[in-house]
């Protein structure tokens, strides 16, 4: 007996939902691998400048057809000054700051602190710029995130100063990304144009970066360089953004955002296994508090 049109529509919808969930889990996995792999190489041979170069050269290669096809017209339409500002916030300086932080502090700190600071300052900037109204549930979530951040500050303060400096760099990167997100909304920039701006402008100063910044390419094994090129460039720089856009289109922005609070948990676990970085009890509590603060408002709305 032939299937009805309703059954076929339901099966198609269920299939797309399953694919979207798999895509979301892939984004979590890529983000986790990105943090852990960067931390691994930064402790071995490569420098923050090396990781950044591999990220944007790989992303540029992946997006080359887009850059050659619609890159210049899209940037001209946006305006070169606005494009440069977006690239300044999440282009080359952004991962450079994160990777410098990863050279000082564990990967779990980056996975927890950066998203948490993004959540808080996105809320703050949106209130200032757009006068967005905030529900009591959302405020409770923000307060919980702040509590988790304070726990991290306390832990880092009683630890070594190097870790504290790394944590501060993760916080700075979170502020930068929050500002980027607000400007994208304020200027009504689509995802493709924003990506083109970030990749294009970030590739321009790469040669100068290697003249001015120290590099470990000469001593690093080729396999390590190639692995980072794939992870940082193709996976984190290109594929993750495409997959996350797909998740948003299939599930909606709120369900899609549920995947990101998983990153601190998975990165902490991976850091223990791969890097031998075992968090303290207070750090585990802080990660749990931050994760709950990010996911609680979304669960209440869904």
């Amino acid at each position: 007996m032939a299937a009805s049109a309703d059954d076929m529509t339901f099966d198609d919808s269920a299939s797309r939902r399953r694919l979207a969930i798999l895509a979301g889990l892939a984004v979590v996995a890529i983000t986790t691998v990105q943090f852990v792999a960067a931390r691994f190489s930064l402790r071995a041979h490569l420098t923050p400048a090396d990781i950044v170069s591999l990220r944007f050269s790989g992303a540029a290669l992946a997006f080359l057809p887009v850059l050659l096809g619609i890159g210049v017209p899209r940037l001209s339409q946006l305006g070169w000054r606005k494009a440069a500002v977006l690239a300044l916030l999440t282009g080359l300086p952004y991962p450079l700051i994160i990777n410098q932080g990863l050279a000082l502090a564990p990967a779990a700190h980056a996975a927890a602190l950066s998203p948490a600071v993004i959540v808080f300052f996105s809320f703050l900037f949106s209130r200032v710029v757009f006068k967005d109204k905030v529900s009591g549930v959302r405020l409770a979530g923000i307060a919980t995130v702040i509590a988790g951040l304070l726990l991290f500050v306390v832990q880092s303060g009683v630890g070594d100063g190097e870790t504290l400096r790394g944590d501060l760099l993760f916080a700075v990167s979170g502020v930068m990304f929050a500002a980027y997100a607000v400007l994208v909304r304020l200027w009504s920039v689509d995802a493709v144009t924003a990506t083109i701006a970030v990749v294009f402008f970030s590739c321009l100063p790469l040669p100068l970066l290697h003249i001015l910044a120290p590099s470990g390419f000469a001593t690093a094994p080729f396999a390590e360089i190639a692995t980072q090129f794939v992870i940082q460039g193709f996976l984190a720089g290109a594929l993750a953004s495409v997959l996350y856009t797909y998740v948003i289109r299939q599930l909606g922005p709120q369900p899609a955002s549920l995947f990101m609070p998983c990153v601190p948990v998975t990165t902490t676990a991976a850091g223990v296994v791969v890097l031998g970085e075992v968090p303290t009890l207070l750090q585990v509590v802080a990660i749990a508090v931050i994760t709950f603060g990010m996911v609680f408002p979304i669960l209440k709305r869904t």
Side-chain angles (χ1 to χ4, degrees):
M1 183 177 178
S4 67
D6 289 342
D7 290 338
M8 293 178 65
T9 301
F10 176 79
D11 290 342
D12 187 50
S13 176
S15 178
R16 289 198 303 268
R17 181 176 177 83
R18 285 194 295 269
L19 286 174
I21 291 173
L22 289 175
L25 293 175
V27 171
V28 173
I30 290 171
T31 306
T32 299
V33 171
Q34 171 198 358
F35 282 131
V36 174
R39 174 68 171 166
F40 179 87
S41 282
L42 288 168
R43 295 198 315 184
H45 303 96
L46 300 181
T47 67
D50 295 334
I51 300 292
V52 170
S53 290
L54 294 171
R55 177 185 178 91
F56 286 112
S57 57
L61 183 60
F63 280 108
L64 187 59
V66 180
L67 286 168
L68 295 177
I70 60 175
V72 174
R74 288 289 186 95
L75 291 177
S76 298
Q77 186 178 10
L78 171 62
W80 293 96
R81 289 184 180 179
K82 289 182 179 179
V85 170
L86 295 179
L88 186 64
L89 290 173
T90 57
L92 189 145
Y94 177 73
L96 190 61
I97 289 173
I98 291 179
N99 287 314
Q100 186 61 51
L102 284 168
L104 302 172
H109 289 216
L113 289 174
S114 186
V117 172
I118 290 171
V119 168
F120 174 69
F121 278 93
S122 293
F123 154 76
L124 183 63
F125 292 160
S126 294
R127 283 284 294 170
V128 173
V129 177
F130 303 108
K131 312 299 181 185
D132 287 347
K133 295 182 179 179
V134 184
S135 66
V137 172
R138 184 62 175 167
L139 285 174
I142 294 296
T144 305
V145 168
I146 294 174
L149 289 172
L150 290 176
L151 284 177
F152 249 112
V153 171
V154 170
Q155 175 64 43
S156 297
V158 299
D160 61 278
E162 191 172 81
T163 300
L164 179 59
R165 290 195 298 273
D167 290 347
L168 290 175
L169 289 172
F170 299 144
V172 170
S173 73
V175 176
M176 292 170 66
F177 191 91
Y180 165 85
V182 169
L183 289 178
V184 165
R185 178 183 171 189
L186 180 66
W187 295 336
S188 300
V189 185
D190 64 271
V192 174
T193 302
T195 302
I196 292 171
V198 170
V199 173
F200 179 80
F201 277 97
S202 297
C203 286
L204 295 178
L206 285 182
L208 181 62
L209 177 66
H210 276 284
I211 293 175
L212 300 177
S215 174
F217 281 145
T219 59
F222 175 78
E224 182 179 350
I225 296 173
T227 300
Q228 290 294 348
F229 183 80
V230 173
I231 292 174
Q232 304 297 333
F234 283 4
L235 297 183
L239 182 59
S241 61
V242 174
L243 289 176
Y244 196 63
T245 301
Y246 175 78
V247 175
I248 292 173
R249 289 178 177 175
Q250 295 299 324
L251 302 181
Q254 293 301 332
S257 63
L258 279 170
F259 289 100
M260 299 320 293
C262 299
V263 174
V265 179
T266 56
T267 303
T268 300
V272 173
V273 175
V274 178
L275 303 173
E277 296 177 343
V278 181
T280 66
L281 178 60
L282 188 59
Q283 289 171 346
V284 172
V285 172
I287 290 171
V289 170
I290 288 172
T291 302
F292 179 77
M294 288 190 288
V295 76
F296 175 69
I298 305 169
L299 288 176
K300 293 294 289 185
R301 284 197 292 270
T302 54

